[in-house]
């Protein structure tokens, strides 16, 4: 088996999580790559929504570099604007939200607005919610991609941008007035997480071959639920890597990026 | 009686914030309605130069609604003209944008007596694949501009509510996130279902700026590719300044009226500006100019890191103040680049007849 990079592992795992005959609301970068990989392999009838307004495009001009890229509109079935895309979602047509963020907590709430506590004068101002807050609220299931670091898997967020299970109360999302069922998977290059149905807390599902659950817990600032049957993450085959490298992101816009320390 | 309720956010983040007293950050729904009623609704030729259009409608203290989405159909030609004209104390409203607010922010850093931003109601401000937006990071991190955060749907549907002539709209997002605490929406108990639902106030810009695929001289406009939130912004604004890639005959508009996404009564000025969104993209005409955006972004990033404004000033002197109009700007970009961007669009299908 060939060597693969952390980004390739994330994209491949993202692809594995997506089921066929479903609609995924994608964010820029790895989510688009994961969804394209799924379409080329196990999920030929998976379709994408892009928030600028396109549903089920055929990406024959190449991978869109952003969710607003004009290429994401190519041969779509339905092409409106942001209201159209998000109203389809609010109506129940988007099965997966595929988002990222700067911090995540044990209930799958995500921050992408600020670092630091003071809203009016934060330590760092990030770009903001974008579509993520609406996707996490109203797509049926939320999948998040995160870098597995202690400063990102935190006990308490600086700001809740995208709703997860809130404080873990069973009725938090209902009281919040949102529709989707909430966090489903958190994908990192070393572990795949899900959520415990009863407590709504993050649960380790799979670890990268060679890593132990204890090592993963070391990289997370809150206590994970670690069931006895943690599996090994599947690794991309040569054919998967060929698709990712030569077909989907042939120019290496996302997969060849260097991770900043 | 409507009950204001809370989604019961129990201190799940470390956020500290000041309670905002509710006010519209632009015209109220009643003011905006009155203004629209009192406008001429005639089919009249609204073509004029951008200089005239901006001179007529842009003034200090307005709420400026910016069309497009990130790097797509962003009204850059209008932004350049606004910077040349000058506008202080602006409130900006948009969903997600990159170069437009960055250009205004850069102008503010160079000369706050010419251009200044007071506050921003938004969902997102950045360049996506190209990186963070250095100017917003500088201004918002240092508390120089006030921010009011919504989702992309939230901002879009706030313009939509305004375009519908209603003062607020219920949505199923924002609740349970910290946006519920910091923005100007409100959670209420739905009078029909008895369940919690979040309300967002309509957003009426004083001036909306949009770039469209094609329009007739009256402002009936077609948009191909994603609409983004341009129709809603144009319809929500008290006045709309429109640039369009191509002015087409009204006969074409009347042949296919279904294709009109922005109707004439809400449009105040029409200016044909080819490559009017450059360095952004315009579906059917040209792809975005990643090299130019990267160049401008890196100049802004250098300022953020060093505080040195020399390169920034040089950019504005060259590409904005050194130009009378967008044609002058495009001449500096050069034919070869524009040709390449046109080729990269790949001839996405649009209907101009």
């Amino acid at each position: 088996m060939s060597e693969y990079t952390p980004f390739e592992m994330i994209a491949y795992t993202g692809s594995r999580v997506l089921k066929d005959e479903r609609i995924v609301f994608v964010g820029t970068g790895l989510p688009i790559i994961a969804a394209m990989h799924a379409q080329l392999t196990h999920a030929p009838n998976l379709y994408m929504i892009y928030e600028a307004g396109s549903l089920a495009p055929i990406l024959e001009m190449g991978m869109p570099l952003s969710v607003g890229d004009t290429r994401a509109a190519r041969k779509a079935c339905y092409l409106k604007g942001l209201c159209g895309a998000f109203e389809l979602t609010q109506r129940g047509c988007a099965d997966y939200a595929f988002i990222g963020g700067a911090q995540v907590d044990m209930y799958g709430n995500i921050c992408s607005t600020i670092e630091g506590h003071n809203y009016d004068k934060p330590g760092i101002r990030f770009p903001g919610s974008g579509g993520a807050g609406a996707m996490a609220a109203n797509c049926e299931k939320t999948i998040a991609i995160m870098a597995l670091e202690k400063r990102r898997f935190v006990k308490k967020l600086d700001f809740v941008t995208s709703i997860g299970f809130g404080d873990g109360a069973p009725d938090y999302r209902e009281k919040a007035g949102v529709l989707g069922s909430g966090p489903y998977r958190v994908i990192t290059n070393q572990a795949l997480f899900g959520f415990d149905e009863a407590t709504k807390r993050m649960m380790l599902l799979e670890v990268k071959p060679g890593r132990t659950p204890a090592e993963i817990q070391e990289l997370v600032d809150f206590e994970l639920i670690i069931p006895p049957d943690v599996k090994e993450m599947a690794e991309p085959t040569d054919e998967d890597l060929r698709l990712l490298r030569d077909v989907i992101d042939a120019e290496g816009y996302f997969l060849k990026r260097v991770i900043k320390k | 009686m409507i009950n204001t309720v809370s989604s019961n956010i129990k201190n799940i983040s470390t956020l500290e914030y000041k309670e905002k007293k509710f006010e519209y950050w632009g015209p109220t729904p009643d003011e905006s309605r009155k203004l629209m009623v009192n406008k001429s609704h005639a089919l009249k030729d609204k073509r004029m130069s951008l200089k005239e259009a901006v001179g007529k409608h842009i003034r200090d203290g307005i709420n400026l609604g910016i069309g497009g989405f990130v790097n797509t159909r962003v009204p850059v030609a209008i932004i350049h003209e606004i910077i040349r004209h000058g506008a202080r104390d602006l409130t900006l409203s948009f969903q997600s944008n990159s170069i437009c607010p960055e250009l205004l922010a850069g102008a503010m850093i160079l000369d706050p007596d010419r251009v200044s931003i007071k506050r921003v109601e938004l969902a997102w401000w950045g360049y996506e694949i190209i990186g963070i937006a250095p100017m917003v990071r500088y201004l918002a991190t240092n508390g120089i501009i006030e921010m009011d955060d919504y989702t992309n749907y939230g901002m879009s549907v706030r313009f939509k509510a305004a375009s519908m002539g209603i003062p607020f709209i219920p949505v199923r997002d924002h609740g349970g996130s910290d946006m519920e605490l910091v923005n100007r929406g409100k959670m209420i108990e739905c009078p029909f279902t008895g369940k919690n639902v979040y309300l967002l106030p309509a957003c009426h810009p004083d001036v909306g700026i949009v770039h469209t695929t094609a329009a007739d001289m009256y402002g009936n406009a077609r948009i191909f590719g994603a609409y983004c939130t341009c129709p809603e912004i144009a319809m929500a604004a008290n006045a709309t300044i429109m640039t369009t890639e191509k002015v087409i005959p009204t006969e074409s508009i009347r042949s296919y009226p279904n294709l009109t996404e922005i109707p004439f009564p809400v449009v105040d000025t029409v200016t044909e500006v080819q490559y009017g969104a450059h360095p952004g993209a315009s579906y059917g005409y040209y792809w975005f100019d990643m090299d130019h955006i990267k160049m401008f972004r890196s100049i802004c990033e250098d300022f953020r890191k060093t505080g040195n404004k020399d390169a920034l000033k040089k950019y504005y002197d060259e590409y904005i103040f050194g130009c009378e109009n967008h044609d002058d700007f495009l001449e500096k970009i050069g034919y070869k680049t524009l040709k390449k961007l046109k080729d990269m669009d790949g001839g996405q299908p649009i209907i101009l007849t």
Side-chain angles (χ1 to χ4, degrees):
Chain A
M1 179 161 312
S2 307
E3 290 284 308
Y4 54 84
T5 68
F7 285 137
E8 286 164 350
M9 184 57 156
I10 288 172
Y12 173 69
T13 307
S15 167
R16 276 201 296 131
V17 166
L18 299 169
K19 300 267 186 299
D20 201 14
E21 299 186 357
R22 292 283 153 192
I23 291 177
V24 54
F25 200 132
V26 288
T28 292
L30 295 173
I32 295 177
I33 294 172
M36 289 175 80
H37 180 274
Q39 287 179 329
L40 292 169
T41 55
H42 66 278
N45 292 307
L46 172 78
Y47 307 103
M48 294 183 225
I49 296 189
Y50 286 82
E51 60 196 283
S54 97
L55 171 66
I58 296 173
L59 303 176
E60 62 184 18
M61 299 178 75
M63 178 187 63
L65 296 192
S66 78
V67 290
D69 191 333
T70 51
R71 290 174 173 182
R74 185 70 170 179
K75 293 195 175 169
C77 289
Y78 178 77
L79 180 54
K80 303 288 177 188
L82 280 89
C83 285
F86 284 108
E87 282 155 17
L88 267 177
T89 303
Q90 212 168 243
R91 182 67 186 89
C93 295
D95 299 287
Y96 303 107
F98 216 145
I99 63 175
Q103 298 172 330
V104 63
D105 69 14
M106 70 162 80
Y107 297 113
N109 305 295
I110 291 174
C111 171
S112 55
T113 303
I114 54 171
E115 185 178 296
H117 313 309
N118 184 347
Y119 179 65
D120 300 309
K121 203 173 174 187
I124 300 175
R125 168 73 205 198
F126 297 132
S129 160
M135 290 155 72
N138 293 324
C139 292
E140 186 52 25
K141 294 179 163 126
T142 304
I143 302 166
I145 290 177
M146 298 289 303
L148 185 59
E149 297 170 24
K150 227 171 188 157
R151 67 188 181 103
R152 296 182 183 275
F153 282 68
V154 298
K155 287 199 180 88
K156 231 174 195 192
L157 302 180
D158 289 333
F159 187 101
V160 181
T161 309
S162 299
I163 183 173
F165 293 117
D167 58 2
D171 60 351
Y172 187 91
R173 288 182 64 92
E174 194 187 343
K175 279 188 178 162
V178 304
L179 292 164
S181 64
Y184 174 60
R185 293 288 183 266
V186 176
I187 299 171
T188 74
N189 69 310
Q190 301 186 56
L192 175 67
F193 304 95
F195 291 84
D196 175 53
E197 215 168 295
T199 62
K200 309 288 185 197
R201 280 174 47 196
M202 200 183 290
M203 179 165 76
L204 185 60
L205 298 179
E206 299 177 4
V207 294
K208 186 178 163 182
R211 302 304 305 257
T212 65
E215 285 171 336
I216 301 302
Q217 177 63 70
E218 273 299 299
L219 297 168
V220 172
D221 205 31
F222 53 82
E223 194 191 336
L224 289 167
I225 295 179
I226 301 181
D229 58 342
V230 172
K231 295 186 183 66
E232 277 198 343
M233 289 170 86
E235 294 176 291
T237 64
D238 289 347
E239 173 60 8
D240 292 315
L241 294 172
R242 187 190 68 81
L243 289 175
L244 292 171
R245 290 170 189 171
D246 301 341
V247 177
I248 299 168
D249 187 12
E251 315 222 25
Y253 282 114
F254 297 100
L255 294 176
K256 293 213 177 93
R257 274 181 313 169
V258 179
I259 299 178
K260 277 188 206 151
K261 288 288 168 196
Chain B
M1 181 65 195
I2 300 292
N3 293 322
T4 304
V5 292
S6 157
S7 74
N8 203 16
I9 294 178
K10 285 183 221 147
N11 193 25
I12 60 172
S13 75
T14 60
L15 174 71
E16 293 160 15
Y17 68 103
K18 284 198 297 280
E19 201 77 51
K20 276 193 198 96
K21 191 170 155 263
F22 178 79
E23 56 171 350
Y24 284 100
W25 280 13
T28 65
D30 286 351
E31 286 163 359
S32 195
R33 157 84 195 187
K34 204 168 156 191
L35 198 130
M36 190 59 80
V37 167
N38 289 333
K39 254 188 212 189
S40 161
H41 296 153
L43 277 167
K44 59 179 183 194
D45 188 353
K46 294 169 187 167
R47 287 172 298 174
M48 62 185 77
S49 73
L50 261 189
K51 199 171 187 164
E52 281 176 87
V54 165
K56 211 169 156 185
H57 293 288
I58 299 294
R59 51 185 200 282
D60 292 349
I62 59 169
N63 182 315
L64 184 68
I66 303 175
F69 176 75
V70 192
N71 300 329
T72 283
R73 267 190 320 89
V74 278
V76 174
I78 306 174
I79 291 285
H80 282 186
E81 198 54 55
I82 290 173
I83 293 171
R84 282 191 286 268
H85 175 271
R88 288 174 297 193
D89 218 15
L90 293 172
T91 298
L92 304 183
S93 53
F94 55 86
Q95 9 80 348
S96 290
N97 214 298
S98 57
I99 191 139
C100 291
E102 283 290 274
L103 281 166
L104 291 170
M108 170 176 174
I109 284 158
L110 289 173
D111 183 3
D113 290 333
R114 176 189 287 273
V115 173
S116 61
I117 303 164
K118 180 164 83 173
R119 58 192 179 185
V120 188
E121 37 188 338
L122 83 169
W124 199 86
W125 181 339
Y127 287 106
E128 289 204 311
I129 182 180
I130 298 169
I132 60 124
M135 293 316 194
V136 66
R137 183 156 290 192
Y138 171 79
L139 293 172
T141 298
N142 291 301
I144 297 168
I145 55 175
E146 186 181 355
M147 306 290 273
D148 195 35
D149 277 279
Y150 301 84
T151 68
N152 269 336
Y153 182 53
M155 278 310 298
S156 297
V157 82
R158 291 186 58 212
F159 292 123
K160 184 175 187 169
S163 80
M164 293 163 75
I166 57 178
F168 65 83
I169 192 158
V171 293
R172 308 306 300 260
D173 55 353
H174 302 85
S177 81
D178 283 338
M179 286 183 279
E180 179 185 335
L181 300 177
V182 300
N183 75 22
R184 285 169 293 138
K186 274 188 179 21
M187 185 72 82
I188 64 144
E189 188 184 296
C190 169
F192 304 107
T193 64
K195 291 183 172 179
N196 291 356
V197 66
Y198 202 62
L199 304 184
L200 292 174
C203 179
H204 288 279
D206 289 282
V207 179
I209 56 174
V210 295
H211 182 69
T212 60
T213 313
D216 71 2
M217 63 181 178
Y218 307 129
N220 294 301
R222 291 180 186 170
I223 297 173
F224 287 91
Y227 299 157
C228 310
T229 312
C230 291
E232 291 88 349
I233 291 173
M235 291 176 76
N238 278 7
T240 295
I241 298 175
M242 181 190 291
T243 51
T244 187
E245 288 291 331
K246 192 172 172 59
V247 171
I248 58 173
T250 297
E251 204 182 293
S252 303
I253 295 286
R254 289 192 183 278
S255 298
Y256 303 102
N258 285 136
L259 296 182
T260 303
E261 283 303 324
I262 302 176
F264 71 92
V266 304
V267 178
D268 294 76
T269 74
V270 177
T271 312
E272 184 178 278
V273 183
Q274 292 178 32
Y275 286 91
H278 176 278
S282 192
Y283 181 97
Y285 291 105
Y286 47 94
W287 206 47
F288 72 99
D289 186 346
M290 188 166 351
D291 292 338
H292 190 92
I293 293 178
K294 274 185 175 166
M295 183 260 283
F296 176 64
R297 197 197 92 89
S298 75
I299 289 170
C300 294
E301 185 69 350
D302 285 349
F303 158 76
R304 185 176 76 89
K305 287 186 170 152
T306 66
N308 186 324
K309 299 178 192 170
D310 294 350
L312 194 62
K313 184 169 181 306
K314 209 172 143 214
Y315 180 92
Y316 280 74
D317 285 345
E318 170 84 9
Y319 291 106
I320 298 177
F321 299 121
C323 302
E324 261 299 298
N325 53 41
H326 208 62
D327 281 353
D328 290 351
F329 170 74
L330 295 175
E331 202 166 312
K332 294 182 186 216
I333 299 304
Y335 172 75
K336 281 184 185 163
T337 299
L338 298 178
K339 181 170 178 288
K340 186 184 85 183
L341 298 174
K342 181 170 180 276
D343 290 345
M344 289 181 87
D345 172 73
Q348 299 263 36
I350 58 176
I351 302 170
L352 298 176
T353 54

